[in-house]
């Protein structure tokens, strides 16, 4: 199948500065392609070359099998629509007039707009939730509203190919999802190529992703193939945690917010579970503590957080009771600790050993939140026993930090 839009060995320069370097890409009809990459890597330049705004130094852009340079302006506008980053409009047209400008490639040079054109424009405004703004001046609407109006103008153009340069940069999260859902619904009738800065929006809405760096494509494929921690680290110099979204099955990313323990920091062992310790791990490391953790189940989110933060932890298989071997490892970490912190966690018969082993600990013990007793009262008895021996319940993580860092 012939690609609907392609670039072959494309080179683009601004003066002596080469921005795109031998870049080649072929896009099949009906795809939603997302382009990602750090600032200055050439994403917007690439879109401008595809839309003939910039003339390449070498290489060629093909639209439906024909060199883009061979199209006359009106013919190209009937095929290719662009939504750019810039939303400024110099003259005080009404919103409806702005959207109707998208119909000009489809009518004669001096021909009036017909009922069909008005209907198409109204439908574009309805779909972008801007119809209620139709009679307002474009200079009187907000930046986010203006962005949606310009998207409506491009939809009224009824292009076969839609190029988007950060189409949701001025929108709140509600309108981001609304607009991208609308654009996704247009496929496979139209082909979409968009520049994104938000990894997670690109991952969810796009069929395939292109990762650029220094004017070249460094990865192309499905979101799962492109959005790896290694590739993001290489391109953006930031460590991201990559997970699979439980509802969509697509990858989603969160910053690792890397922190490191101070060599001489307070040694804190955290006993937690069910996600109760993750925030404490990060907070303690952020304040220079040396942190250990466990015993944790391997499928517990606290175990994943400890691994991501480089925290030594005692980890057991999922759904298994704490073993004697794990208890011995736990005793070793407790013996090296200056402080023990128990995060409010669910305690059942399987992990009750996490509390009972604390009877032999001589360092300060702090409880952050109450443990949930799912051990027939045994957990409550142990917590009360530890409190009677000097364990302190603190009201917040901030209170804990004040106590252990004094």
């Amino acid at each position: 199948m012939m690609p609907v839009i392609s670039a072959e060995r494309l080179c683009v320069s601004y003066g002596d500065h080469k921005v795109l370097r031998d870049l080649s890409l072929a896009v099949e009809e009906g795809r939603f392609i997302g382009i990602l990459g750090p600032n200055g890597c050439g994403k917007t330049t690439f879109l401008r070359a595809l839309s003939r705004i910039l003339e390449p130094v070498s290489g060629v852009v093909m639209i439906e099998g024909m060199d883009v340079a061979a199209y006359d302006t009106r013919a190209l506008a009937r095929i290719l629509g662009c939504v750019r980053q810039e939303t400024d409009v110099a003259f005080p047209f009404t919103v409806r007039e702005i959207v109707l400008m998208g119909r000009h490639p489809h009518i004669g040079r001096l021909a009036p707009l017909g009922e069909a054109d008005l209907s198409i424009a109204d439908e574009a405004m309805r779909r972008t939730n801007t119809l209620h703004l139709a009679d307002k001046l474009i200079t009187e609407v907000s930046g986010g509203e203006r962005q949606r109006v310009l998207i409506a103008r491009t939809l009224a153009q009824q292009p076969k190919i839609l190029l988007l340069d950060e189409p949701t940069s001025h929108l709140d999260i509600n309108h981001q999802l609304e607009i991208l859902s609308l654009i996704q619904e247009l496929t496979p009738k139209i082909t979409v190529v968009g520049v994104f800065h938000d990894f997670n929006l690109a991952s969810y809405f796009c069929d395939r992703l292109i990762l650029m760096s220094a004017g070249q494509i460094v990865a192309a494929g499905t979101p799962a193939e492109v959005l790896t921690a290694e590739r993001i680290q290489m391109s953006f110099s930031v460590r991201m945690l990559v997970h699979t979204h439980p509802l969509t099955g697509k990858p989603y990313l969160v910053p690792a917010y890397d922190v490191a323990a101070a060599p001489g920091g307070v040694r804190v062992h955290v006993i937690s579970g069910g996600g109760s310790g993750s925030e404490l791990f990060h907070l303690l490391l952020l304040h220079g503590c040396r942190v250990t953790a466990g015993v944790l189940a391997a499928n517990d989110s606290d175990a994943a957080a400890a691994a991501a933060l480089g925290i030594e932890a005692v980890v057991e298989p999922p759904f298994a009771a704490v073993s004697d071997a794990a208890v011995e490892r736990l005793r070793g970490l407790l013996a090296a600790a200056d402080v023990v912190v128990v995060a409010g966690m669910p305690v059942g018969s399987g992990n009750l050993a996490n509390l009972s082993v604390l009877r032999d600990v001589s360092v300060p013990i702090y409880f952050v939140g109450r443990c949930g007793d799912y051990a027939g009262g045994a957990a409550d008895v142990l917590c009360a026993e530890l409190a009677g021996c000097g364990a302190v319940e603190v009201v917040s993580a901030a209170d804990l930090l004040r106590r252990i860092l004094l």
Side-chain angles (χ1 to χ4, degrees):
M1 180 185 295
M2 180 188 300
V4 67
I5 183 169
S6 64
E8 187 173 336
R9 299 187 63 83
L10 200 63
C11 293
V12 177
S13 298
Y14 295 121
D16 294 330
H17 177 54
K18 184 176 286 188
V19 180
L20 300 183
R21 305 166 184 271
D22 292 324
L23 191 150
S24 296
L25 177 70
V27 180
E28 297 175 4
E29 185 175 6
R31 293 284 193 179
F32 191 162
I33 308 296
I35 302 175
L36 299 166
N39 290 339
C41 74
K43 303 184 299 296
T44 294
T45 298
F46 184 35
L47 284 194
R48 288 176 175 170
L50 292 180
S51 60
R52 207 173 64 180
I53 294 173
L54 289 176
E55 183 178 353
V57 174
S58 60
V60 63
V61 174
M62 306 290 286
I63 303 289
E64 294 192 328
M66 189 166 81
D67 190 333
V68 69
Y71 283 91
D72 68 62
T73 302
R74 292 169 65 79
L76 183 61
R78 288 193 291 269
I79 297 173
L80 191 68
C82 304
V83 179
R84 301 186 178 92
Q85 290 183 37
E86 300 81 9
T87 62
D88 291 338
V89 179
F91 299 102
F93 294 105
T94 66
V95 165
R96 176 173 275 109
E97 288 169 335
I98 291 290
V99 176
L100 283 168
M101 291 176 186
R103 298 303 304 156
H104 290 170
H106 297 275
I107 62 176
R109 292 189 181 277
L110 299 177
L113 293 164
E115 287 299 322
D117 300 304
L118 296 173
S119 177
I120 290 168
D122 281 356
E123 175 62 12
M125 286 187 286
R126 184 191 66 77
R127 299 186 75 176
T128 54
N129 195 20
T130 55
L131 188 57
H132 65 289
L133 303 171
D135 297 323
K136 293 193 71 171
L137 297 178
I138 190 67
T139 53
E140 295 175 352
V141 302
S142 71
E145 289 169 335
R146 190 178 302 120
Q147 181 84 334
R148 286 186 284 133
V149 170
L150 297 180
I151 293 171
R153 180 181 66 183
T154 305
L155 295 182
Q157 191 178 328
Q158 295 183 308
K160 296 180 181 179
I161 302 167
L162 185 57
L163 304 182
L164 308 169
D165 193 359
E166 299 182 47
T168 60
S169 58
H170 298 283
L171 305 181
D172 58 42
I173 185 61
N174 177 51
H175 286 116
Q176 285 180 350
L177 297 176
E178 187 178 86
I179 290 297
L180 289 175
S181 294
L182 163 62
I183 292 169
Q184 188 181 51
E185 289 171 7
L186 296 174
T187 60
K189 292 182 179 179
I190 70 170
T191 304
V192 182
V193 180
V195 166
F196 290 86
H197 275 299
D198 190 308
F199 298 125
N200 293 320
L201 288 177
S203 175
Y204 179 70
F205 286 102
C206 296
D207 303 321
R208 295 178 69 80
L209 297 178
I210 306 297
L211 181 61
M212 292 183 61
S213 181
Q216 295 180 311
I217 293 174
V218 295
T222 65
E225 290 169 338
V226 172
L227 294 177
T228 66
E230 294 76 17
R231 287 204 173 102
I232 300 304
Q233 173 79 46
M234 177 186 68
S235 299
F236 291 87
S237 300
V238 64
R239 199 165 72 89
M240 303 290 286
L241 304 179
V242 182
H243 303 284
T244 300
H245 196 286
L247 299 181
T248 67
K250 298 284 191 75
Y252 77 96
L253 291 76
V254 292
Y257 299 117
D258 284 327
V259 289
V266 177
R267 296 170 297 182
V268 182
H269 182 83
V270 179
I271 292 176
S272 64
S276 64
S278 300
E279 185 176 354
L280 276 175
F281 296 159
H282 188 272
L283 190 64
L284 289 166
L285 286 174
L286 193 64
H287 284 81
C289 298
R290 290 180 286 167
V291 182
T292 55
V295 179
L296 294 164
N299 62 339
D300 194 309
S301 58
D302 282 348
L309 291 167
I311 290 172
E312 182 182 358
V314 183
V315 179
E316 288 276 74
F319 312 114
V322 174
S323 65
D324 292 342
V327 170
E328 286 308 305
R329 288 189 58 205
L330 174 58
R331 289 185 189 279
L333 294 179
L334 291 171
D338 300 314
V339 175
V340 175
V341 176
V342 181
M345 62 179 184
V347 180
S349 57
N351 67 338
L352 190 63
N354 275 338
L355 294 182
S356 59
V357 75
L358 297 182
R359 289 175 170 143
D360 302 325
V361 169
S362 59
V363 299
I365 299 173
Y366 295 100
F367 281 84
V368 182
R370 292 184 177 274
C371 293
D373 191 331
Y374 298 90
D380 285 343
V381 169
L382 271 172
C383 288
E385 181 182 337
L386 293 169
C389 294
V392 176
E393 183 175 340
V394 297
V395 296
S396 65
D399 184 22
L400 172 70
L401 289 173
R402 283 194 295 270
R403 290 172 183 268
I404 68 176
L405 297 179
L406 289 177

